[in-house]
């Protein structure tokens, strides 16, 4: 456990996340309080945050636990140097050299500490001194260049190493190598500055090139300004890595390179090559499920759906073991669902795909996954209807329903009409017959819905208008029923059922006109009239409410309202409704 925490701390330190590195090293120390390397590493992390007091405490503990370890004295000297305890720093570096006389870091640190002692005693330097001298004479120059990714590769180049050695011997030699971009990059790292150095990519971008119209006077003025360089702070040496940790780090870097090669091949649709690179990346690093995910995506493009599903399942399983980001788990489940949809041939084949999408949404609610789920459910339903479609069986079920209807067994009839519609959802006769059953059972809303569906499927089918008109009549919506019967007569002028329906509606409407309604009937019609959505909207409109008040209390304003066609239409609607229910 301590080694695991140490590894996490080393990784955080390399990434420049020093607070996290300190936290992991502290966890490791709790588990292995006598491990001198852990205190040394935490001392380096504290020094990186300029917390030299804490760095000093850990450095002293390191030396206490391992008095013959030269690196402990290097940490001790760096902490003293950061606190401006120059004499103590000199003593620490000298003590370390007693154990390791050839240690270059200790030698360099001692030279820097002694120089700091001399400067502190001599007072502030005269204005002409080299501002960059300390950057190259510090004890950690090579360590800094090794730790920074932008300069690490340069140390493999002999000419660069030679130049840096020349500059370290005599900082004035810096002027000889300023044109070398590697030296400028190294200078930026050593001074904790970020110098913008042109790359091959930059030269292709117009905005990176200097403007040809820039006045030379302005350039000279800029060059004449003195460069203010902050005094470099001593930084710790890179973390101690075991052989196993170094090998693991290298394998991870190789895996990333393989992944990038795979991505490039994927974009070119060279899927076989992409598969090979992703597979190699997986072999190098089995702690990153993105390699599995990318290979699964490639299999999906290739139409190798079973291989895609296997990789997605592995990614989910491995991701849970590694406690990977839940979004990655969701992505794997979504990709699996997509492969299952591609393989689906029957409605049942969609069930595992829908399940996979649903699981993905429990991990992370993504709009794309939600759309895939909705599409899969819709496709499943459509396929179910196609698989169940059988006009012959539908006719048989409708006839069974007719037999039960004649026997006045309406629930049993509805059951068979419903089965008939499942077998053939485009048959208007089954909807008409089921509407009649609903009407007999007093389920008027259901009956109205079936009658309207019947008319929608076949606008010339007179039975549909008769069913709808009958439902509306029983709902005592006589005006609507009359309109329905009259619409049916346009398609079948001699249909006796429709003619009888018109007659019944007219009788009821005339009954209201003659005032032959009982108090209960009048009250019921008034309630129905008030339930009319259009009437409700008019009465709830603040403008119309004021208009109605004006008609009662302000004749002059009411006269003005009569000039507005929209207002008058609403007034006529209210008047017509009132005449239907009260006259």
């Amino acid at each position: 456990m301590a080694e695991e925490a140490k590894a996490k701390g080393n990784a955080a330190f390399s990434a420049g996340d020093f607070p996290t590195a300190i936290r992991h090293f502290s966890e490791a120390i709790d588990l292995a309080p006598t491990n001198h390397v852990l205190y040394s590493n935490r001392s380096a992390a504290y020094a990186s945050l300029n917390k030299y007091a804490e760095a000093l405490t850990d450095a002293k503990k390191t030396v206490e636990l391992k008095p013959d370890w030269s690196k402990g004295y290097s940490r001790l000297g760096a902490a003293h140097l950061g606190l401006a305890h120059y004499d103590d720093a000199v003593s620490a570096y000298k003590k370390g050299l007693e154990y390791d006389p050839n240690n270059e870091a200790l030698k360099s640190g001692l030279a820097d500490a002694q120089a700091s002692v001399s400067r502190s005693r001599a007072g502030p330097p005269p204005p002409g001194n080299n501002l960059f001298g300390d950057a190259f004479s510090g004890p950690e120059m090579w360590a800094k260049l090794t730790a920074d990714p932008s300069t690490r590769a340069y140390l493999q180049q002999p000419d660069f190493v030679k130049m840096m050695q020349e500059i370290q011997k005599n900082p004035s030699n810096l002027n000889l190598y300023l044109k070398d971009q590697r030296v400028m990059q190294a200078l930026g790292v050593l001074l904790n500055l970020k110098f913008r150095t042109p790359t091959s990519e930059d030269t292709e971008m117009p905005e990176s090139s200097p403007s040809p119209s820039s006045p030379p006077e302005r350039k000279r003025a800029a060059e004449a300004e003195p460069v203010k360089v902050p005094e470099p702070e001593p930084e710790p040496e890179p973390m101690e890595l075991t052989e196993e940790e170094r090998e693991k780090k290298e394998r991870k870097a190789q895996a990333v390179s393989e992944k990038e090669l795979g991505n490039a091949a994927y974009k070119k649709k060279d899927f076989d090559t992409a598969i090979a690179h992703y597979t190699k990346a997986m072999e190098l690093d089995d702690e990153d499920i993105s390699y599995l995910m990318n290979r699964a995506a490639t299999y999906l493009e290739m139409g190798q759906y079973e291989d895609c599903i296997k990789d997605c399942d592995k990614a989910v399983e491995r991701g849970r073991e590694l406690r990977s980001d839940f979004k990655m788990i969701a992505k794997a489940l979504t990709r699996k669902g997509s492969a299952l949809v591609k393989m689906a041939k029957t409605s049942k084949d969609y069930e595992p795909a829908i399940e996979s999408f649903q699981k993905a949404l429990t991990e992370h609610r993504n709009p794309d996954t939600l759309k895939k789920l909705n599409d899969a459910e819709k496709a499943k339903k459509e396929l179910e209807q196609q698989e169940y479609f059988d006009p012959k069986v539908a006719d048989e079920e409708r006839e069974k329903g007719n037999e039960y209807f004649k026997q006045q067994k309406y629930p049993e009839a509805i059951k068979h009409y419903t089965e008939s519609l499942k077998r053939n959802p485009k048959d208007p006769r089954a909807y008409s017959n089921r509407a009649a059953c609903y009407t007999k059972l007093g389920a008027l809303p259901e009956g109205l819905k079936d009658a309207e569906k019947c008319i929608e499927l076949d606008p010339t089918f007179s039975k549909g208008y008769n069913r709808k008109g009958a439902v509306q009549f029983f709902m005592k919506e006589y005006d609507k029923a009359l309109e329905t019967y009259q619409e049916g007569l346009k398609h079948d002028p001699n249909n006796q059922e429709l003619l009888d329906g018109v007659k019944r509606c007219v009788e009821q409407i005339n009954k209201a006109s003659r005032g032959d309604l009982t108090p209960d009937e009048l009250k019921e019609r008034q309630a129905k009239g008030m339930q009319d959505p259009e009437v409700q909207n008019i009465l709830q409109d603040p403008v119309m409410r004021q208009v109605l008040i004006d008609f009662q209390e302000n004749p002059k304003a009411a006269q003005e309202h009569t000039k507005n066609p929209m207002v008058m239409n609403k007034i006529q609607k209210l008047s017509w409704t009132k005449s239907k229910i009260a006259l």
Side-chain angles (χ1 to χ4, degrees):
M1 293 294 290
E3 285 299 317
E4 182 181 349
K6 174 191 170 187
K8 290 179 180 179
N10 290 348
F13 186 93
S14 299
D17 187 358
F18 303 120
T20 301
I22 290 170
R23 178 165 56 82
H24 287 305
F25 290 141
S26 298
E27 292 172 358
I29 288 171
D30 290 339
L31 296 167
T34 60
N35 189 328
H36 62 283
V37 175
L38 299 176
Y39 289 99
S40 171
N41 288 2
R42 191 170 70 175
S43 176
Y46 276 130
S48 299
L49 293 173
N50 297 330
K51 295 183 176 181
Y52 295 111
E54 293 86 343
L56 180 61
T57 301
D58 277 354
K60 288 180 177 179
K61 185 66 175 178
T62 304
V63 172
E64 177 189 328
L65 291 171
K66 187 74 171 173
D68 58 347
W69 193 46
S70 61
K71 182 164 284 188
Y73 295 99
S74 179
R75 301 292 191 214
L76 188 61
H80 278 307
L81 202 59
L83 293 169
H85 302 161
Y86 302 129
D87 291 326
D88 292 333
V90 170
S91 300
Y93 287 124
K94 285 183 176 180
K95 186 68 174 176
L97 286 168
E98 291 178 10
Y99 295 104
D100 189 359
N102 298 318
N103 189 299
E104 291 298 327
L106 288 169
K107 289 180 181 180
S108 182
L110 176 59
D112 189 65
Q114 290 172 335
S116 297
V117 170
S118 300
R119 285 197 301 271
S120 65
R121 291 173 181 171
N129 281 8
N130 188 344
L131 295 172
F132 301 112
D134 288 345
F136 299 100
S137 63
E140 311 294 347
M141 184 189 82
W142 297 106
K144 282 186 179 181
L145 297 179
T146 302
D148 193 283
S150 65
T151 56
R152 186 181 303 133
Y154 297 160
L155 297 177
Q156 306 299 320
Q157 302 170 11
D159 61 328
F160 173 76
V161 175
K162 185 177 179 181
M163 283 189 288
M164 295 306 296
Q165 288 173 341
E166 291 293 331
I167 295 170
Q168 192 173 38
K169 291 177 184 177
N170 184 1
S172 298
N173 289 334
L174 174 63
N175 296 325
L176 300 175
Y177 305 113
L178 286 177
K179 291 184 179 180
D180 193 304
Q181 297 299 334
R182 296 172 297 174
V183 174
M184 292 302 295
Q185 183 71 18
L187 180 60
V189 170
L190 295 173
L191 297 177
N192 293 327
L193 299 173
K194 288 188 178 180
F195 289 163
R196 180 72 167 93
T197 57
T199 64
S200 59
E201 293 180 1
D202 294 334
T203 56
E204 296 173 2
M205 300 179 66
E207 56 269 27
S208 299
S209 305
S211 173
S213 60
S214 301
E217 292 81 9
R218 186 173 179 180
K219 288 185 180 180
R220 285 196 294 272
E223 291 166 2
E225 292 179 8
V227 180
K228 295 181 180 179
V229 182
E231 183 178 348
E233 299 286 351
E235 290 192 7
E237 299 173 32
M239 294 291 93
E240 284 289 313
L241 295 177
T242 64
E243 185 64 31
E244 182 181 350
E245 289 171 339
R246 278 195 295 272
E247 183 181 346
K248 184 177 181 181
K249 190 173 183 180
E250 290 174 1
R251 289 172 67 86
K252 282 184 175 290
Q254 292 174 18
V256 171
S257 297
E258 290 291 337
K259 177 184 176 182
E260 291 172 354
L261 291 170
N263 291 346
Y266 180 89
K267 290 176 182 177
K268 294 177 183 177
K269 296 192 179 297
D270 185 0
F271 298 131
D272 289 329
T273 302
I275 291 289
H277 285 300
Y278 293 140
T279 303
K280 182 65 176 177
M282 290 160 51
E283 293 170 355
L284 290 166
D285 180 10
D286 66 347
E287 294 183 352
D288 188 339
I289 65 171
S290 67
Y291 309 139
L292 265 170
M293 294 288 298
N294 287 11
R295 192 173 73 172
T298 309
Y299 281 136
L300 186 64
E301 286 292 323
M302 296 172 72
Q304 297 182 18
Y305 304 126
E306 291 183 358
D307 291 328
C308 172
I309 292 168
K310 289 177 183 177
D311 273 2
C312 289
D313 286 338
K314 289 178 185 176
V316 172
E317 181 181 357
R318 186 63 176 144
R320 296 199 192 285
E321 291 174 359
L322 298 170
R323 297 184 179 178
S324 300
D325 187 349
F326 57 87
K327 291 181 181 178
M328 291 292 288
I329 304 294
K331 195 172 183 180
L333 290 166
T334 299
R335 191 157 290 164
K336 176 183 177 180
S338 297
L340 288 166
V341 165
K342 293 284 188 182
M343 296 173 65
K345 294 180 180 178
T346 67
S347 59
K348 279 196 170 295
D349 292 340
Y350 279 94
E351 292 176 2
I354 290 171
E355 182 183 1
S356 189
F357 290 136
Q358 289 171 339
K359 287 181 178 179
L361 288 170
T362 62
E363 297 286 342
H364 174 59
R365 195 161 184 82
N366 180 280
D368 180 60
T369 304
L370 184 60
K371 183 179 183 303
K372 289 179 184 291
L373 171 62
N374 293 335
D375 290 345
E377 289 176 337
K378 182 180 178 182
K380 178 177 181 289
K381 186 175 180 180
E382 290 175 353
L383 205 54
E384 281 176 340
Q385 291 178 347
Q386 294 174 15
E387 292 167 351
Y388 210 65
F389 182 79
D390 190 333
K392 184 178 179 181
V393 174
D395 289 342
E396 292 173 358
E397 290 293 329
R398 192 182 74 255
E399 289 301 325
K400 290 178 182 178
N402 292 345
E403 290 298 321
Y404 280 111
F405 186 89
K406 292 174 184 176
Q407 299 172 25
Q408 298 183 0
K409 296 180 179 180
Y410 304 120
E412 290 83 353
I414 287 175
K415 178 181 177 182
H416 287 288
Y417 290 140
T418 300
E419 181 63 24
S420 174
L421 288 169
K422 287 180 181 178
R423 294 290 185 174
N424 184 7
K426 302 295 184 182
D427 185 3
R429 295 170 297 176
Y431 279 109
S432 171
N433 294 359
R434 194 171 69 173
C437 288
Y438 281 133
T439 305
K440 292 289 186 180
L441 293 171
L444 302 181
E446 291 81 358
L448 181 62
K449 185 177 178 181
D450 272 4
E452 288 175 340
K453 185 65 177 179
C454 173
I455 295 171
E456 177 189 328
L457 292 172
D458 186 358
T460 65
F461 188 47
S462 58
K463 278 281 186 183
Y465 295 99
N466 188 47
R467 302 299 188 206
K468 182 178 179 180
V471 172
Q472 291 170 326
F473 186 88
F474 286 121
M475 295 174 75
K476 299 186 179 180
E477 295 177 349
Y478 303 121
D479 296 281
K480 292 182 179 180
L482 179 60
E483 291 176 6
T484 300
Y485 287 131
Q486 289 173 338
E487 185 66 27
L489 287 170
K490 291 179 183 178
H491 304 286
D492 189 0
N494 299 317
N495 186 289
Q496 193 58 48
E497 289 183 333
L498 294 174
L499 292 170
D500 291 342
V502 169
K503 183 178 179 181
R504 288 195 303 273
C505 291
V506 171
E507 287 177 355
Q508 289 297 323
I509 293 171
N510 289 338
K511 185 178 180 180
S513 300
R514 294 193 302 269
D516 293 342
L517 297 175
T518 65
D520 289 340
E521 289 177 329
L522 179 60
K523 187 175 180 181
E524 184 179 356
R525 292 201 183 187
Q526 286 175 339
K528 282 191 172 292
M530 293 303 294
Q531 290 173 0
D532 189 323
E534 190 175 354
V535 173
Q536 288 182 357
N537 288 336
I538 293 172
L539 294 177
Q540 291 173 3
D541 185 350
V543 176
M544 285 304 300
R545 289 170 68 178
Q546 183 60 47
V547 169
L548 294 174
I549 292 173
D550 288 343
F551 267 94
Q552 293 177 351
E553 301 176 359
N554 191 342
K556 186 176 180 180
Q559 190 173 5
E560 290 297 320
H561 291 315
T562 59
K563 298 177 182 179
N564 187 328
M566 188 178 297
V567 170
M568 287 308 298
N569 285 337
K570 293 180 179 180
I571 294 293
Q572 288 173 1
K573 171 66 179 177
L574 292 175
S575 300
W576 183 71
T577 302
K578 183 178 179 182
S579 66
K580 285 199 303 178
I581 61 179
L583 293 179

